[in-house]
Amino acid sequence: MEVTLKTDIFEDMVELTGCNYISDLPHRRKRVLEELKELPPHSYPKEQLEKFSHYVFGEDYTVVMGTLESKKGSETTCMK
């Protein structure tokens, strides 16, 4: 689904994840993480990213991004 990014990550994530309300986002953390991985770096102001991360994940933005980075290596397929 193609979405034109706005200037508010909360509104964009509602649209990208298919949620009805901003308050639904913490209940769809896995989907939010998937979408967050696809966003271009620096799409939103740092302060907004921090607020978003605390609201959805209860963590600093740097912690959330560190989690995403550590998962990138674990997505490789295993050899049989």
Side-chain angles (χ1 to χ4, degrees):
M1 171 168 94
E2 182 105 8
V3 173
T4 303
L5 297 178
K6 301 174 185 87
T7 57
D8 187 302
I9 191 170
F10 290 91
E11 291 177 15
D12 288 342
M13 278 297 172
V14 165
E15 193 170 338
L16 288 166
T17 59
C19 291
N20 293 318
Y21 305 101
I22 291 171
S23 60
D24 294 337
L25 293 171
H27 305 288
R28 306 272 321 268
R29 288 180 182 153
K30 185 175 180 180
R31 180 77 174 117
V32 171
L33 272 177
E34 291 170 6
E35 292 298 338
L36 208 50
K37 282 192 282 190
E38 301 301 319
L39 288 178
H42 311 295
S43 300
Y44 304 95
K46 177 107 171 108
E47 182 179 305
Q48 192 178 107
L49 292 169
E50 284 294 339
K51 287 179 182 179
F52 180 79
S53 294
H54 278 277
Y55 180 77
V56 176
F57 304 105
E59 299 283 350
D60 290 340
Y61 178 69
T62 52
V63 172
V64 173
M65 293 314 291
T67 301
L68 285 176
E69 286 299 315
S70 68
K71 287 186 177 193
K72 280 184 182 176
S74 67
E75 291 178 5
T76 57
T77 55
C78 296
M79 302 279 283
K80 287 188 179 185

